Amino acid sequence: MLTTIESRNAITLIQIQEERLDAHNSSDLKGQMLTLFEEGKNNMIVDLQGVRFVDSSGLGALVSGFKNASARNGNLKLCGLQPQVESMFELTRLHRVFEIFPDLAQALNSFQE
């Protein structure tokens, strides 16, 4: 899976560089997030700006990341959801679980509050 991972202060930013987050690549994302958690990076933002499609496997990887972050007193937030992806979160009611922001700047600011 193509991702860009960078740190901004105590926040780890994961930018997904794929158009699809599905059974083909979701385990890669899950593994990358687990590695980051093991390194003590418990506050993350996953930028989904480039993702046009997400299936149940992709949602499962994000939920796993959210649960791992919460178990470590951290947080996993999302930003940049495209309309098709946002509708999947609404259909599954996961938009009530995740903190979702329109863009990266607002997601970063939310950790300051």
Side-chain angles (χ1 to χ4, degrees):
M1 164 174 264
L2 291 173
T3 57
T4 302
I5 298 173
E6 63 180 275
S7 292
R8 295 196 186 177
N9 298 323
I11 302 162
T12 301
L13 170 63
I14 301 174
Q15 291 179 306
I16 298 177
Q17 309 290 325
E18 304 268 354
E19 286 195 7
R20 298 176 64 91
L21 180 56
D22 56 20
H24 178 69
N25 58 14
S26 61
S27 61
D28 292 343
L29 175 62
K30 193 174 175 179
Q32 287 177 340
M33 287 191 294
L34 278 174
T35 299
L36 292 167
F37 287 129
E38 289 168 1
E39 293 172 356
K41 298 173 180 174
N42 298 329
N43 288 315
M44 292 184 192
I45 298 171
V46 179
D47 187 348
L48 297 168
Q49 181 72 36
V51 177
R52 304 278 184 254
F53 174 80
V54 62
D55 72 358
S56 59
S57 297
L59 292 174
L62 293 170
V63 168
S64 174
F66 178 83
K67 290 172 80 174
N68 273 296
S70 297
R72 292 169 166 83
N73 295 319
N75 206 335
L76 186 147
K77 302 180 181 189
L78 306 175
C79 70
L81 276 64
Q82 297 299 312
Q84 305 93 319
V85 174
E86 190 171 5
S87 67
M88 279 296 291
F89 277 83
E90 290 172 1
L91 283 170
T92 57
R93 300 188 185 271
L94 286 173
H95 66 293
R96 295 181 180 181
V97 175
F98 289 95
E99 288 185 68
I100 299 173
F101 298 90
D103 57 44
L104 178 59
Q106 291 182 40
L108 284 167
N109 285 338
S110 73
F111 279 101
Q112 309 296 324
E113 298 170 353

